[in-house]
Amino acid sequence: MAKLSQDELLAQFEEMTLIELSEFVKKFEEKFDVEAAAPAAVVAAAPGQGGGAAAAEEEQDEFDVVLTGAGDKKIQVIKVVRELTSLGLKEAKDLVDNTPKPVLEKVNKEAAAKAKESLEGAGASVEVK
């Protein structure tokens, strides 16, 4: 029998049902006298096995940057809001005046952190959700 690479083994596991995979783990544990408690949890959350949705919910990848207060330097905050968005002067001023309001929605973690830093640097209070 030819030796399978790790990628080939993973491809075989992807095709198995959850029950087949569970039976394989039991046989593997018996054959090598080991316990696969942690790997079984990882395997159960593998994509295509139904557990992937729970893992995706745990690690958030889209964030909303919400302006909760303009602070003392309102004009600076309006400038930063305009830099971060495509809003005009009036729209940016309305957003700053009517806090709490989202400035950016569904952005990645890096963009949210950068926006928060910029807004806080201008004197605003910001919340990332």
Side-chain angles (χ1 to χ4, degrees), residues 36-76:
V42 172
V43 170
Q49 298 296 328
E57 288 177 7
E58 289 177 13
E59 187 174 326
Q60 184 178 357
D61 60 352
E62 290 184 341
F63 299 87
D64 295 342
V65 180
V66 179
L67 182 67
T68 56
D72 296 335
K73 301 177 183 176
K74 193 163 134 180
I75 294 173
Q76 292 301 101

Short mmCIF file of all heavy atoms in Angstrom, two decimals, residues 36-76:
data_model
loop_
_atom_site.label_atom_id
_atom_site.label_comp_id
_atom_site.label_asym_id
_atom_site.label_seq_id
_atom_site.Cartn_x
_atom_site.Cartn_y
_atom_site.Cartn_z
N ALA A 36 -7.87 10.49 21.69
CA ALA A 36 -7.91 11.60 20.73
C ALA A 36 -9.00 12.58 21.10
O ALA A 36 -9.76 13.03 20.27
CB ALA A 36 -8.11 11.07 19.32
N ALA A 37 -9.10 12.94 22.38
CA ALA A 37 -10.17 13.84 22.83
C ALA A 37 -10.05 15.21 22.18
O ALA A 37 -11.02 15.72 21.63
CB ALA A 37 -10.15 13.96 24.35
N ALA A 38 -8.90 15.84 22.22
CA ALA A 38 -8.73 17.16 21.62
C ALA A 38 -8.84 17.10 20.09
O ALA A 38 -9.57 17.89 19.51
CB ALA A 38 -7.42 17.79 22.04
N PRO A 39 -8.15 16.18 19.40
CA PRO A 39 -8.29 16.12 17.96
C PRO A 39 -9.71 15.81 17.50
O PRO A 39 -10.15 16.28 16.48
CB PRO A 39 -7.33 15.01 17.53
CG PRO A 39 -6.30 15.00 18.59
CD PRO A 39 -7.04 15.33 19.85
N ALA A 40 -10.46 15.03 18.28
CA ALA A 40 -11.83 14.73 17.90
C ALA A 40 -12.67 15.99 17.89
O ALA A 40 -13.54 16.18 17.04
CB ALA A 40 -12.43 13.70 18.85
N ALA A 41 -12.40 16.90 18.85
CA ALA A 41 -13.13 18.17 18.88
C ALA A 41 -12.79 19.00 17.65
O ALA A 41 -13.65 19.65 17.07
CB ALA A 41 -12.80 18.94 20.15
N VAL A 42 -11.53 18.97 17.25
CA VAL A 42 -11.12 19.71 16.06
C VAL A 42 -11.75 19.12 14.82
O VAL A 42 -12.26 19.82 13.96
CB VAL A 42 -9.58 19.72 15.94
CG1 VAL A 42 -9.14 20.32 14.62
CG2 VAL A 42 -8.96 20.49 17.10
N VAL A 43 -11.76 17.80 14.74
CA VAL A 43 -12.34 17.12 13.59
C VAL A 43 -13.83 17.40 13.50
O VAL A 43 -14.39 17.63 12.44
CB VAL A 43 -12.06 15.60 13.65
CG1 VAL A 43 -12.85 14.86 12.60
CG2 VAL A 43 -10.57 15.35 13.46
N ALA A 44 -14.52 17.44 14.65
CA ALA A 44 -15.96 17.69 14.66
C ALA A 44 -16.29 19.07 14.13
O ALA A 44 -17.35 19.29 13.57
CB ALA A 44 -16.51 17.53 16.07
N ALA A 45 -15.38 20.02 14.28
CA ALA A 45 -15.63 21.37 13.81
C ALA A 45 -15.08 21.61 12.41
O ALA A 45 -15.03 22.73 11.95
CB ALA A 45 -15.00 22.38 14.77
N ALA A 46 -14.67 20.55 11.73
CA ALA A 46 -14.11 20.69 10.39
C ALA A 46 -15.17 21.19 9.42
O ALA A 46 -16.33 20.86 9.52
CB ALA A 46 -13.56 19.35 9.91
N PRO A 47 -14.77 22.04 8.44
CA PRO A 47 -15.73 22.53 7.45
C PRO A 47 -16.40 21.38 6.71
O PRO A 47 -15.77 20.37 6.44
CB PRO A 47 -14.87 23.36 6.50
CG PRO A 47 -13.63 23.69 7.27
CD PRO A 47 -13.44 22.57 8.25
N GLY A 48 -17.65 21.54 6.44
CA GLY A 48 -18.38 20.52 5.71
C GLY A 48 -18.96 19.45 6.61
O GLY A 48 -19.66 18.57 6.17
N GLN A 49 -18.66 19.50 7.91
CA GLN A 49 -19.16 18.51 8.84
C GLN A 49 -20.26 19.08 9.73
O GLN A 49 -20.69 18.43 10.66
CB GLN A 49 -18.02 17.96 9.71
CG GLN A 49 -16.95 17.25 8.93
CD GLN A 49 -17.47 16.00 8.24
OE1 GLN A 49 -18.35 15.32 8.73
NE2 GLN A 49 -16.95 15.71 7.07
N GLY A 50 -20.67 20.33 9.51
CA GLY A 50 -21.77 20.91 10.27
C GLY A 50 -21.31 21.67 11.49
O GLY A 50 -22.06 22.44 12.04
N GLY A 51 -20.09 21.50 11.95
CA GLY A 51 -19.59 22.19 13.13
C GLY A 51 -18.89 23.49 12.78
O GLY A 51 -18.53 24.24 13.65
N GLY A 52 -18.70 23.77 11.52
CA GLY A 52 -18.00 24.97 11.09
C GLY A 52 -18.72 26.25 11.46
O GLY A 52 -18.09 27.27 11.69
N ALA A 53 -20.03 26.23 11.53
CA ALA A 53 -20.79 27.45 11.85
C ALA A 53 -20.51 27.90 13.27
O ALA A 53 -20.36 29.10 13.53
CB ALA A 53 -22.27 27.20 11.65
N ALA A 54 -20.39 26.98 14.20
CA ALA A 54 -20.11 27.35 15.59
C ALA A 54 -18.73 27.96 15.71
O ALA A 54 -18.53 28.93 16.43
CB ALA A 54 -20.22 26.12 16.47
N ALA A 55 -17.76 27.41 14.99
CA ALA A 55 -16.41 27.95 15.04
C ALA A 55 -16.37 29.34 14.42
O ALA A 55 -15.65 30.22 14.88
CB ALA A 55 -15.44 27.02 14.33
N ALA A 56 -17.14 29.57 13.38
CA ALA A 56 -17.15 30.87 12.72
C ALA A 56 -17.78 31.92 13.62
O ALA A 56 -17.38 33.08 13.58
CB ALA A 56 -17.91 30.78 11.40
N GLU A 57 -18.75 31.55 14.42
CA GLU A 57 -19.39 32.50 15.32
C GLU A 57 -18.45 32.94 16.43
O GLU A 57 -18.52 34.06 16.89
CB GLU A 57 -20.65 31.89 15.93
CG GLU A 57 -21.79 31.76 14.95
CD GLU A 57 -23.00 31.09 15.57
OE1 GLU A 57 -23.02 30.83 16.77
OE2 GLU A 57 -23.93 30.82 14.80
N GLU A 58 -17.55 32.06 16.85
CA GLU A 58 -16.64 32.38 17.92
C GLU A 58 -15.64 33.45 17.52
O GLU A 58 -15.31 34.31 18.30
CB GLU A 58 -15.90 31.13 18.39
CG GLU A 58 -16.80 30.16 19.12
CD GLU A 58 -16.08 28.89 19.50
OE1 GLU A 58 -14.84 28.85 19.43
OE2 GLU A 58 -16.77 27.93 19.87
N GLU A 59 -15.14 33.39 16.31
CA GLU A 59 -14.16 34.36 15.85
C GLU A 59 -14.82 35.33 14.89
O GLU A 59 -15.14 35.00 13.76
CB GLU A 59 -12.98 33.65 15.17
CG GLU A 59 -11.87 34.61 14.84
CD GLU A 59 -10.66 33.90 14.30
OE1 GLU A 59 -10.38 32.77 14.72
OE2 GLU A 59 -10.00 34.48 13.43
N GLN A 60 -15.02 36.54 15.37
CA GLN A 60 -15.70 37.56 14.59
C GLN A 60 -14.73 38.14 13.57
O GLN A 60 -13.58 38.42 13.88
CB GLN A 60 -16.21 38.65 15.54
CG GLN A 60 -17.01 39.72 14.88
CD GLN A 60 -17.52 40.73 15.90
OE1 GLN A 60 -17.31 40.59 17.09
NE2 GLN A 60 -18.17 41.75 15.42
N ASP A 61 -15.19 38.33 12.33
CA ASP A 61 -14.31 38.90 11.31
C ASP A 61 -14.87 40.19 10.71
O ASP A 61 -14.22 40.80 9.87
CB ASP A 61 -14.00 37.89 10.21
CG ASP A 61 -15.25 37.40 9.51
OD1 ASP A 61 -16.36 37.72 9.96
OD2 ASP A 61 -15.12 36.71 8.49
N GLU A 62 -16.04 40.60 11.13
CA GLU A 62 -16.61 41.87 10.67
C GLU A 62 -16.96 42.70 11.89
O GLU A 62 -17.60 42.22 12.83
CB GLU A 62 -17.86 41.64 9.83
CG GLU A 62 -17.55 41.03 8.48
CD GLU A 62 -18.79 40.89 7.61
OE1 GLU A 62 -19.91 40.91 8.15
OE2 GLU A 62 -18.62 40.75 6.40
N PHE A 63 -16.54 43.96 11.88
CA PHE A 63 -16.73 44.83 13.02
C PHE A 63 -17.41 46.12 12.59
O PHE A 63 -17.27 46.57 11.46
CB PHE A 63 -15.37 45.17 13.65
CG PHE A 63 -14.64 43.96 14.16
CD1 PHE A 63 -13.83 43.22 13.34
CD2 PHE A 63 -14.78 43.57 15.48
CE1 PHE A 63 -13.16 42.11 13.81
CE2 PHE A 63 -14.13 42.45 15.96
CZ PHE A 63 -13.31 41.73 15.13
N ASP A 64 -18.14 46.72 13.53
CA ASP A 64 -18.75 48.02 13.34
C ASP A 64 -18.05 49.00 14.26
O ASP A 64 -17.84 48.72 15.44
CB ASP A 64 -20.25 48.00 13.68
CG ASP A 64 -21.06 47.11 12.75
OD1 ASP A 64 -20.57 46.80 11.65
OD2 ASP A 64 -22.19 46.75 13.11
N VAL A 65 -17.67 50.17 13.71
CA VAL A 65 -17.06 51.22 14.51
C VAL A 65 -18.15 52.25 14.79
O VAL A 65 -18.67 52.88 13.87
CB VAL A 65 -15.87 51.88 13.75
CG1 VAL A 65 -15.24 52.97 14.58
CG2 VAL A 65 -14.84 50.82 13.37
N VAL A 66 -18.50 52.39 16.08
CA VAL A 66 -19.60 53.25 16.47
C VAL A 66 -19.05 54.45 17.23
O VAL A 66 -18.35 54.29 18.24
CB VAL A 66 -20.62 52.48 17.34
CG1 VAL A 66 -21.76 53.40 17.77
CG2 VAL A 66 -21.14 51.27 16.61
N LEU A 67 -19.38 55.63 16.77
CA LEU A 67 -19.00 56.87 17.42
C LEU A 67 -19.98 57.11 18.56
O LEU A 67 -21.18 57.23 18.34
CB LEU A 67 -19.05 58.03 16.42
CG LEU A 67 -18.64 59.40 16.93
CD1 LEU A 67 -17.16 59.41 17.28
CD2 LEU A 67 -18.91 60.45 15.87
N THR A 68 -19.48 57.13 19.80
CA THR A 68 -20.36 57.29 20.95
C THR A 68 -20.35 58.71 21.51
O THR A 68 -21.23 59.07 22.28
CB THR A 68 -20.00 56.29 22.07
OG1 THR A 68 -18.63 56.48 22.43
CG2 THR A 68 -20.25 54.87 21.62
N GLY A 69 -19.36 59.51 21.14
CA GLY A 69 -19.29 60.89 21.59
C GLY A 69 -18.23 61.64 20.83
O GLY A 69 -17.19 61.08 20.46
N ALA A 70 -18.47 62.94 20.58
CA ALA A 70 -17.53 63.74 19.78
C ALA A 70 -16.42 64.35 20.62
O ALA A 70 -15.36 64.66 20.11
CB ALA A 70 -18.28 64.84 19.04
N GLY A 71 -16.63 64.53 21.91
CA GLY A 71 -15.61 65.13 22.75
C GLY A 71 -15.54 66.63 22.53
O GLY A 71 -16.45 67.27 22.01
N ASP A 72 -14.42 67.22 22.95
CA ASP A 72 -14.24 68.68 22.87
C ASP A 72 -13.85 69.16 21.49
O ASP A 72 -14.12 70.31 21.13
CB ASP A 72 -13.18 69.12 23.88
CG ASP A 72 -13.60 68.85 25.32
OD1 ASP A 72 -14.82 68.78 25.57
OD2 ASP A 72 -12.71 68.68 26.18
N LYS A 73 -13.20 68.32 20.71
CA LYS A 73 -12.68 68.73 19.39
C LYS A 73 -13.60 68.22 18.28
O LYS A 73 -13.20 67.40 17.46
CB LYS A 73 -11.27 68.21 19.21
CG LYS A 73 -10.30 68.70 20.27
CD LYS A 73 -8.95 68.07 20.06
CE LYS A 73 -7.99 68.49 21.15
NZ LYS A 73 -6.71 67.84 21.03
N LYS A 74 -14.79 68.72 18.25
CA LYS A 74 -15.80 68.24 17.31
C LYS A 74 -15.37 68.42 15.85
O LYS A 74 -15.60 67.54 15.01
CB LYS A 74 -17.11 68.99 17.57
CG LYS A 74 -18.31 68.41 16.90
CD LYS A 74 -19.55 68.98 17.57
CE LYS A 74 -20.56 69.41 16.56
NZ LYS A 74 -21.76 69.96 17.17
N ILE A 75 -14.74 69.52 15.54
CA ILE A 75 -14.32 69.79 14.15
C ILE A 75 -13.28 68.75 13.72
O ILE A 75 -13.35 68.23 12.59
CB ILE A 75 -13.77 71.23 14.01
CG1 ILE A 75 -14.91 72.22 14.24
CG2 ILE A 75 -13.13 71.43 12.65
CD1 ILE A 75 -14.48 73.66 14.29
N GLN A 76 -12.34 68.41 14.61
CA GLN A 76 -11.33 67.40 14.29
C GLN A 76 -12.00 66.05 14.05
O GLN A 76 -11.63 65.32 13.14
CB GLN A 76 -10.31 67.29 15.42
CG GLN A 76 -9.42 68.50 15.57
CD GLN A 76 -8.63 68.77 14.31
OE1 GLN A 76 -8.98 69.65 13.53
NE2 GLN A 76 -7.58 68.01 14.10
#
